[in-house]
Amino acid sequence: AGMITLGGFNLAESAQLPKGVRTEKHDVVVIGTGLAGLATAIEASDSGAKVIILEKAGGDKSGGNSRLSAGIIATPSDNTKQAKDGYYEDFMKKSMGKADPELTRLLSEQALDGVDWLKAQGMEFMPPISVPGLRGKWVLTAPGIFKGMPKAIERLLEVLAKRGVKIAYETKAKDLIIDSRGRVVGVKAVNKDGIKDYMAEAVVIASGGYSGNKEMLELWVDHDADEMMVRGVPWSTGDGIKMAHKAGAILVNMGGMTSLHVAGVSPKNTAAGNPFIAVPFCISLNKDGKRFIDESKGYVALGKATMKQPGQKVALVFDEELKKTPGVSASFKLFQGIGIEVIEADTIEDLASKIGAPPAVVKLTIDEFNNAVKDGKALGITPPKEATAYKIMSPKFYAFYPLVPGITLTFGGVKVNTNAQVLEPDGRAIPGLYAAGESVGGIFYDDYWGGGSLARCVVLGRIAGKNAA
């Protein structure tokens, strides 16, 4: 019955897979149940389309990386042109000027509206707070960091259920179906019953990035990148990105370490065990007892540098005085709250032994660092510390240890225009194919402002849903 509604098109499959044992016909097929996919499905449904979502995980694992995220959405401080321009400029600067300017402008124009739209769906948020270094604000899902997104995902799933939108769980999208006109007209997927063809007028890829795909990380990023831990869901393996590429899409910002967001995290809790606020104030030591990075550059620089350290394992060291400062104190309390031990000792040598580093080398490293500290900088050593340099000399001594490199999210993916249409290398849009969320590349480069990814999810998800419908 589904095939009859296609009007007799001769279908050319994009992969050497047999015809599905069953066929369903919908207006829009969405791949993925993260924030981008759910926003897409709600907007498409509200626009009158018959929508289905394909999710390769089970129902108890819906939400993808969004469910595990801190729940922060970065927005301009208000709706004025000045605020939006500042947000745009700061985001471009954070991406070293290499982000897609049109998509970055899209975030600046629509992020606030996206939060208001989420509120209208029943999501709850904490009062907004300012963002250090960004002319904008963070809007955090209630009841708080790492606690709000599971609740938010469930709320959006309820919204979709009330609209009658079906979600096919444990159904892995394998390939796009393209007709003789070159238009994407469906998705070939596999579930427990075999191959099934989901035909549609439009398909939206919102299946996330490729942080869980060791092959892609090693081939595209770095030969050591496959050894890093995954902070998000392990089934984020780039399926949608590969499908789109196979159908002719151009991939952008896939190569090198600039295509990843990496943090130094505790292996006991890779999602929440990130002392990111403390990083600029502490000093970092590898297993040889030596510093290896200017810590004032922040936690992403630390995370990426950790990948190249012996054993990919480091310590973040501070003393009793630094423990009293707001940033370090917040990270200390975070680790205590989630049950991760912070190493402590009465002497530097004892601390060194507890983190598995040579005590004499650690003592020499810290002494040299202390002697170089002047006016909040430590410039006469290698590597120098250009800001937030404080002496480590007041017992007790502490260490966040071990910290290992963990991939937060990937920055590479398919290129889209401001209509969320997937593009070919010559700039043409692939008819019937859209993308949103982490599957989209080019918005971030090397680093990003926390909360930018969820902003990308809701903004592009809404656009994709409307246009696909």
Side-chain angles (χ1 to χ4, degrees), residues 14-43:
S14 65
Q16 300 302 313
L17 289 172
K19 180 180 177 181
V21 294
R22 291 178 297 158
T23 299
E24 283 186 15
K25 179 68 173 70
H26 301 270
D27 296 324
V28 176
V29 173
V30 179
I31 306 173
T33 59
L35 179 60
L38 299 181
T40 296
I42 292 172
E43 283 286 19

Side-chain angles (χ1 to χ4, degrees), residues 14-344:
S14 65
Q16 300 302 313
L17 289 172
K19 180 180 177 181
V21 294
R22 291 178 297 158
T23 299
E24 283 186 15
K25 179 68 173 70
H26 301 270
D27 296 324
V28 176
V29 173
V30 179
I31 306 173
T33 59
L35 179 60
L38 299 181
T40 296
I42 292 172
E43 283 286 19
S45 177
D46 286 352
S47 297
K50 179 185 177 184
V51 183
I52 188 169
I53 306 177
L54 309 183
E55 171 57 62
K56 71 176 181 179
D60 60 333
K61 297 179 180 179
S62 61
N65 278 348
S66 297
R67 183 182 285 272
L68 298 183
S69 73
I72 297 169
I73 301 177
T75 73
S77 55
D78 56 52
N79 256 318
T80 63
K81 183 179 184 302
Q82 181 181 7
K84 292 178 179 179
D85 286 347
Y87 179 94
Y88 168 82
E89 292 165 5
D90 288 347
F91 261 71
M92 290 297 295
K93 182 178 179 180
K94 193 71 169 177
S95 294
M96 303 168 64
K98 295 185 178 182
D100 186 307
E102 291 185 339
L103 296 181
T104 306
R105 179 63 70 180
L106 200 63
L107 290 189
S108 72
E109 294 293 333
Q110 299 192 26
L112 275 172
D113 291 341
V115 170
D116 289 339
W117 180 81
L118 290 173
K119 290 178 180 177
Q121 309 309 315
M123 279 180 57
E124 298 177 356
F125 294 92
M126 307 287 284
I129 59 175
S130 60
V131 186
L134 174 65
R135 284 173 286 179
K137 62 184 181 182
W138 276 338
V139 183
L140 176 63
T141 50
I145 190 167
F146 292 111
K147 298 177 182 179
M149 280 309 293
K151 181 179 178 181
I153 293 295
E154 293 302 324
R155 173 56 190 160
L156 296 181
L157 290 172
E158 292 173 1
V159 170
L160 286 169
K162 290 179 180 178
R163 285 162 170 74
V165 174
K166 179 183 176 183
I167 301 177
Y169 289 108
E170 298 183 357
T171 300
K172 182 175 181 177
K174 297 288 287 186
D175 268 299
L176 299 172
I177 302 173
I178 303 173
D179 69 10
S180 58
R181 302 169 299 169
R183 182 181 183 87
V184 173
V185 292
V187 177
K188 191 173 290 291
V190 177
N191 59 23
K192 61 183 178 61
D193 297 320
I195 297 172
K196 187 172 183 177
D197 295 336
Y198 292 88
M199 311 307 297
E201 299 297 327
V203 173
V204 182
I205 294 172
S207 51
Y210 48 94
S211 56
N213 189 318
K214 292 183 178 295
E215 179 188 28
M216 290 181 73
L217 292 172
E218 187 170 5
L219 289 176
W220 285 92
V221 180
D222 186 279
H223 67 276
D224 290 326
D226 61 314
E227 299 298 324
M228 291 192 286
M229 301 194 77
V230 178
R231 300 184 66 199
V233 295
W235 56 88
S236 185
T237 51
D239 302 341
I241 295 172
K242 292 187 290 184
M243 280 187 284
H245 189 226
K246 197 172 185 180
I250 181 174
L251 306 185
V252 292
N253 195 20
M254 294 286 292
M257 290 299 293
T258 58
S259 66
L260 299 179
H261 183 282
V262 181
V265 297
S266 169
K268 294 183 178 180
N269 188 328
T270 56
N274 176 14
F276 65 98
I277 305 176
V279 170
F281 306 97
C282 305
I283 64 169
S284 52
L285 302 177
N286 60 23
K287 66 180 297 185
D288 295 330
K290 298 179 180 180
R291 290 180 62 248
F292 54 91
I293 186 70
D294 178 351
E295 298 87 354
S296 68
K297 292 182 178 180
Y299 75 102
V300 174
L302 173 69
K304 291 183 178 182
T306 298
M307 191 186 80
K308 292 297 184 180
Q309 300 311 301
Q312 293 193 347
K313 186 184 297 183
V314 304
L316 195 64
V317 176
F318 57 101
D319 67 0
E320 194 67 43
E321 287 302 310
L322 277 172
K323 181 188 171 188
K324 299 174 184 177
T325 61
V328 179
S329 175
S331 293
F332 189 89
K333 291 177 181 177
L334 169 66
F335 270 52
Q336 285 186 318
I338 58 179
I340 301 177
E341 179 189 11
V342 179
I343 305 298
E344 58 182 77

Side-chain angles (χ1 to χ4, degrees), residues 351-400:
L351 185 75
S353 297
K354 290 184 176 181
I355 64 174
V361 178
V362 171
K363 182 68 164 59
L364 179 61
T365 298
I366 292 179
D367 285 345
E368 289 179 343
F369 176 80
N370 288 343
N371 291 334
V373 172
K374 183 179 180 180
D375 299 327
K377 300 178 181 180
L379 303 180
I381 53 174
T382 302
K385 191 172 185 184
E386 298 182 353
T388 58
Y390 299 92
K391 293 182 179 181
I392 310 293
M393 57 190 302
S394 301
K396 289 183 174 183
F397 301 98
Y398 302 88
F400 295 109

